[in-house]
Amino acid sequence: MSAIRVGIVGYGNLGRGVEFAISQNPDMELVAVFTRRDPSTVSVASNASVYLVDDAEKFQDDIDVMILCGGSATDLPEQGPHFAQWFNTIDSFDTHAKIPEFFDAVDAAAQKSGKVSVISVGWDPGLFSLNRVLGEAVLPVGTTYTFWGDGLSQGHSDAVRRIEGVKNAVQYTLPIKDAVERVRNGENPELTTREKHARECWVVLEEGADAAKVEQEIVTMPNYFDEYNTTVNFISEDEFNANHTGMPHGGFVIRSGESGANDKQILEFSLKLESNPNFTSSVLVAYARAAHRLSQAGEKGAKTVFDIPFGLLSPKSAAQLRKELL
Amino acid sequence: MSAIRVGIVGYGNLGRGVEFAISQNPDMELVAVFTRRDPSTVSVASNASVYLVDDAEKFQDDIDVMILCGGSATDLPEQGPHFAQWFNTIDSFDTHAKIPEFFDAVDAAAQKSGKVSVISVGWDPGLFSLNRVLGEAVLPVGTTYTFWGDGLSQGHSDAVRRIEGVKNAVQYTLPIKDAVERVRNGENPELTTREKHARECWVVLEEGADAAKVEQEIVTMPNYFDEYNTTVNFISEDEFNANHTGMPHGGFVIRSGESGANDKQILEFSLKLESNPNFTSSVLVAYARAAHRLSQAGEKGAKTVFDIPFGLLSPKSAAQLRKELL
C-alpha cells in the first residue's frame, strides 16, 4: 500500500512537530511544506520541499491530506475554508467559543469540494473533549472537571512579556492539588476559578525596572490574572534560559458520577507532556490518517474528533486491532 | 423523538445494572427483561415486564436494542449470534483470546439479518481497549501498560472458594505502586507479571479447617496465584460481610511515548469504580444508543468500540456537542 501523502501549511513549532511525527509513522510521507516566507529562507529538518503557500493549489493531485499548522487567531479562520476547497485538511483551531462558526465555514467549503476536513484536533480541544463526551455519556448523573497544567500558557506568557520593564517571562498554570484530590475522591465540589488553578510567573526584568510595579501589574491584570492566585518570581536571564525554555503542559479530565445504589464511579484521562506543540502535532498526524481513510470511503464535509472512530487513527487493520488490542 | 426501546437478556448483576443505567437516560426506555428462569419468580426493580428468553423472538417490532447480560464462558458464545438474528445487540464478551472467533460468528448473523451488534463492550475490553489504540496511534514510539485494580477479581475469588476448608473468600488484584510510579515517570520499564500486580485474599475458614494448609494451597495455585506475590488474610464471617461484599475495581492504561527531541509524553486513562458490574452496565447502555443510531443510518454487522465515534454515545446532537464540549 502506498504511503499517505501529507502536506504542511506553516512551519513553526507545530509544523516542525508534524514533520517529526510523520517520521514516526511508516505509512505516511511528507510531500511538501508550504510557507508565507520566502521558501529559500526556510530550512526544514526532513528532505521535503518548501513552497510558497500560494502555490499549494497546484499540488491537489500530490497530497492526500494537508495539515494546517497556523494559529487560531488569524491564520486558521482564513486557511481552514481556503484549503478545504482543494484538500482533505486537519487543523487545531482552539478558540472554543468560535468553533461552531468555524465548523460551518469549513463545512461549506468541504461539502462543495467533496473533501474531508477535521477541525479542532489536538488535546484540548481534542482528546480532552472526547473524554468530556465519554464521561457524560457513560455516567449521565455526575460532574465533569477539566484541570490544566502543570503547563506553560503561551497567551499568559505573552501578556506578561508585554508589560513595560519585562525582558522575558513565562507563565505556568498549576492545578490546585487540594481541589484535584477532592474531585478524585468523588466529593463533586463546586469550585471557583481561583480554587481550581493557580498561576506562576518567572520574569526577567529589564535593567532598572521596578519589580514591585511589574508584580502589581501582573497580579491585577483583568481576565488574565485577577481571578487567580498568582506568584511572581524574578530571575536572571541565565536561570531563565537554563530552566524555562521548554513547553511542558498537560492536565486531566475527570468525570465523577454515580450508578446503581449510589456507587461512586470515577473516570480520569490525563496527559503529562514535556512538549505541548509536539504532542498536538502527533495527534494531528493520527487524525490525518483518519481523514484520508474517510475520504477514501466517500465521506465529505467538516468533522470533529467526535465523529471519528478510534480504529481509523491506527495504521492497523480492524481485524488486527480486535486481535491485539481489544 | 420517541425513546430508544431496550430489552435485557439475563437478570443478574449486569442486567440489574443495565436496568438502573437506563433509568438515568431519559431518551431510553426498558421494554422487557428476558430470563431462563420462570418469569413469575423474577422480580425486577423497574416496571418492565419479564418474559421467558425463548419468547424474545416475538418482540422484534418492540425492541430497538437488546442488551445481552450473560457470561462470556457459555452464555454469550451462544446468545450473541442467536439474538443478532432478530435484534441490534450489545454484549460484554470478555474472553480476549476468543474475540476474533466470536466477532466472526456474530458478524455472520448480523450481516444476514441486517442488524448491528456491538461486541465486547465494557471497560476491559472496552474503554481500556480504546485507550490502548489511541495511545499507540498518537505516540507510535512508546510502550503501553495496562494495570488492573485495586479491585475484586471474580475468577480468582471463585478459585479460592473452591479450596477445601474455605467457607467464603474474595481476592483483590492490586497494581504495584512502585511499578506504576516508574511507568508514570516515563521510565518505560520491562515488568514481569510479579512486578506489575500483587494479589490479596480475605478468607473465612470452615470450622476446624487448617489455615496453614489453605494458605499454601492458595499461594501455589498454578496460573491463578503462583506467578504473583499473594497475601492471605483469615477473617471472621462478620468481618467478611461488613467489609468485603462490594465489587470495586478499576485500573489504568498508560502510554508512555516520545515525540520530537526525545520529549517524554505520557497519556493515562484510569477508572476508580465502587461497582464494577454497574459501571460495565453504564457503558453497555451508552453503546446501545450508538447501535440504535448506526442501525437507523443503515449500517449492519458486528462492530467493536473501535468502530464507533464517541459522538454517537451521547444523547446530544453533533452541533450541541461541538458547542458545549469540544
Side-chain angles (χ1 to χ4, degrees):
Chain A
M1 221 176 68
S2 58
I4 301 170
R5 301 165 304 167
V6 181
I8 291 173
V9 177
Y11 196 70
N13 282 330
L14 211 53
R16 278 191 294 275
V18 166
E19 180 180 34
F20 188 87
I22 290 170
S23 77
Q24 292 182 316
N25 287 280
D27 64 330
M28 309 186 91
E29 171 197 354
L30 177 59
V31 172
V33 171
F34 299 92
T35 178
R36 278 179 300 215
R37 292 176 271 169
D38 173 353
S40 69
T41 67
V42 176
S43 135
V44 301
S46 65
N47 52 15
S49 305
V50 182
Y51 300 96
L52 255 189
V53 75
D54 292 335
D55 292 331
E57 186 183 349
K58 299 175 197 156
F59 289 80
Q60 288 177 63
D61 295 336
D62 307 300
I63 289 175
D64 296 313
V65 190
M66 197 71 109
I67 303 183
L68 310 181
C69 298
S72 296
T74 55
D75 300 333
L76 293 175
E78 186 261 318
Q79 290 177 350
H82 182 72
F83 283 94
Q85 288 179 79
W86 305 308
F87 299 100
N88 299 317
T89 65
I90 305 290
D91 68 64
S92 63
F93 184 78
D94 68 358
T95 312
H96 290 263
K98 293 190 176 166
I99 284 174
E101 177 187 332
F102 182 67
F103 180 90
D104 290 342
V106 174
D107 190 50
Q111 292 289 355
K112 203 168 156 193
S113 65
K115 298 291 182 182
V116 170
S117 291
V118 192
I119 70 152
S120 300
V121 174
W123 61 274
D124 198 354
L127 307 190
F128 274 22
S129 324
L130 282 164
N131 281 279
R132 287 189 284 264
V133 168
L134 177 69
E136 201 178 273
V138 167
L139 296 169
V141 177
T143 312
T144 302
Y145 297 86
T146 302
F147 289 92
W148 296 274
D150 300 7
L152 185 147
S153 161
Q154 207 59 64
H156 286 76
S157 299
D158 288 345
V160 175
R161 281 193 288 260
R162 281 192 296 263
I163 292 173
E164 201 188 316
V166 171
K167 188 168 184 191
N168 209 345
V170 287
Q171 192 269 186
Y172 299 108
T173 305
L174 311 174
I176 291 176
K177 286 195 173 58
D178 177 62
V180 176
E181 278 318 300
R182 290 176 62 202
V183 170
R184 284 190 179 141
N185 288 335
E187 294 177 33
N188 288 16
E190 285 199 31
L191 299 167
T192 62
T193 299
R194 193 178 297 275
E195 286 167 334
K196 284 184 74 185
H197 296 95
R199 299 197 178 277
E200 189 182 273
C201 303
W202 298 82
V203 177
V204 181
L205 290 173
E206 301 276 10
E207 243 186 80
D210 179 346
K213 187 163 167 282
V214 167
E215 177 167 353
Q216 187 60 19
E217 240 185 281
I218 294 174
V219 301
T220 58
M221 195 186 295
N223 302 318
Y224 284 86
F225 292 100
D226 61 340
E227 290 178 51
Y228 299 85
N229 291 337
T230 302
T231 318
V232 182
N233 306 282
F234 294 101
I235 54 175
S236 70
E237 191 150 23
D238 287 349
E239 192 183 337
F240 188 93
N241 291 334
N243 300 329
H244 299 286
T245 55
M247 283 185 272
H249 219 310
F252 12 95
V253 175
I254 303 175
R255 178 69 175 181
S256 170
E258 275 188 15
S259 69
N262 307 314
D263 301 307
K264 276 185 198 152
Q265 315 277 33
I266 314 259
L267 181 157
E268 176 170 345
F269 179 80
S270 70
L271 293 173
K272 199 169 75 181
L273 309 174
E274 282 189 357
S275 167
N276 179 0
N278 283 346
F279 186 76
T280 299
S281 299
S282 295
V283 180
L284 293 174
V285 168
Y287 277 91
R289 179 182 290 118
H292 174 62
R293 289 175 171 177
L294 287 171
S295 179
Q296 296 276 85
E299 300 251 356
K300 61 177 178 171
K303 314 270 177 197
T304 72
V305 293
F306 300 149
D307 306 311
I308 296 180
F310 280 18
L312 292 182
L313 304 177
S314 169
K316 296 182 176 172
S317 72
Q320 201 179 356
L321 291 176
R322 286 193 295 271
K323 187 166 194 269
E324 295 176 11
L325 295 170
L326 191 61
Chain B
M1 222 176 65
S2 58
I4 300 171
R5 300 165 305 166
V6 180
I8 291 174
V9 177
Y11 196 69
N13 282 330
L14 211 54
R16 278 192 294 273
V18 166
E19 182 181 31
F20 188 88
I22 290 169
S23 77
Q24 292 181 316
N25 287 281
D27 63 331
M28 309 187 91
E29 171 197 354
L30 177 59
V31 172
V33 172
F34 299 92
T35 177
R36 278 178 301 213
R37 292 175 272 171
D38 173 354
S40 70
T41 67
V42 177
S43 136
V44 301
S46 65
N47 52 15
S49 304
V50 183
Y51 300 96
L52 256 189
V53 75
D54 291 336
D55 291 333
E57 185 184 347
K58 300 175 196 155
F59 289 80
Q60 288 177 61
D61 295 336
D62 307 300
I63 288 174
D64 296 314
V65 190
M66 197 71 108
I67 302 185
L68 310 181
C69 298
S72 296
T74 56
D75 299 334
L76 293 174
E78 186 261 319
Q79 290 177 350
H82 182 71
F83 284 94
Q85 288 179 78
W86 306 307
F87 299 99
N88 300 316
T89 66
I90 304 291
D91 68 63
S92 63
F93 185 79
D94 67 357
T95 312
H96 290 262
K98 293 190 176 167
I99 284 175
E101 179 186 331
F102 182 68
F103 180 89
D104 290 342
V106 174
D107 190 50
Q111 293 289 354
K112 203 168 155 193
S113 64
K115 299 291 182 181
V116 170
S117 290
V118 191
I119 71 153
S120 299
V121 175
W123 59 274
D124 197 355
L127 307 190
F128 274 23
S129 324
L130 282 165
N131 282 278
R132 288 189 284 264
V133 167
L134 178 68
E136 200 179 273
V138 166
L139 296 169
V141 176
T143 312
T144 302
Y145 297 86
T146 303
F147 289 92
W148 296 274
D150 300 6
L152 185 147
S153 161
Q154 207 60 63
H156 286 76
S157 299
D158 288 345
V160 175
R161 282 192 288 259
R162 282 192 295 263
I163 292 173
E164 201 187 314
V166 171
K167 189 170 183 188
N168 209 346
V170 288
Q171 192 269 186
Y172 299 109
T173 305
L174 312 173
I176 291 175
K177 287 197 172 57
D178 177 62
V180 176
E181 278 319 299
R182 291 177 62 201
V183 170
R184 284 190 179 140
N185 288 336
E187 294 177 32
N188 287 16
E190 284 199 32
L191 298 166
T192 63
T193 299
R194 193 179 298 275
E195 287 168 333
K196 284 184 75 185
H197 296 96
R199 299 196 178 276
E200 188 181 271
C201 303
W202 298 82
V203 178
V204 182
L205 291 174
E206 302 276 9
E207 242 184 81
D210 179 346
K213 188 164 167 280
V214 167
E215 177 166 353
Q216 187 60 19
E217 241 185 279
I218 294 173
V219 301
T220 58
M221 195 185 294
N223 302 317
Y224 284 86
F225 292 99
D226 62 340
E227 291 178 52
Y228 299 86
N229 291 337
T230 302
T231 317
V232 181
N233 308 282
F234 295 100
I235 54 174
S236 70
E237 192 151 21
D238 286 351
E239 192 183 335
F240 188 93
N241 291 332
N243 300 329
H244 299 286
T245 56
M247 284 184 273
H249 220 311
F252 12 95
V253 175
I254 303 175
R255 178 70 175 182
S256 169
E258 275 188 14
S259 69
N262 306 315
D263 302 306
K264 275 186 198 151
Q265 314 277 33
I266 314 259
L267 180 156
E268 176 170 345
F269 179 80
S270 71
L271 293 172
K272 198 168 75 179
L273 309 174
E274 282 189 357
S275 168
N276 179 0
N278 283 345
F279 185 75
T280 300
S281 299
S282 296
V283 180
L284 292 174
V285 168
Y287 278 91
R289 179 181 290 119
H292 175 62
R293 289 176 170 175
L294 287 171
S295 180
Q296 297 276 85
E299 300 251 358
K300 63 178 179 171
K303 314 270 176 197
T304 73
V305 294
F306 300 149
D307 305 312
I308 296 180
F310 281 18
L312 292 182
L313 305 177
S314 168
K316 296 181 175 172
S317 71
Q320 202 180 356
L321 290 177
R322 287 193 295 269
K323 186 167 193 272
E324 294 176 10
L325 295 170
L326 193 60

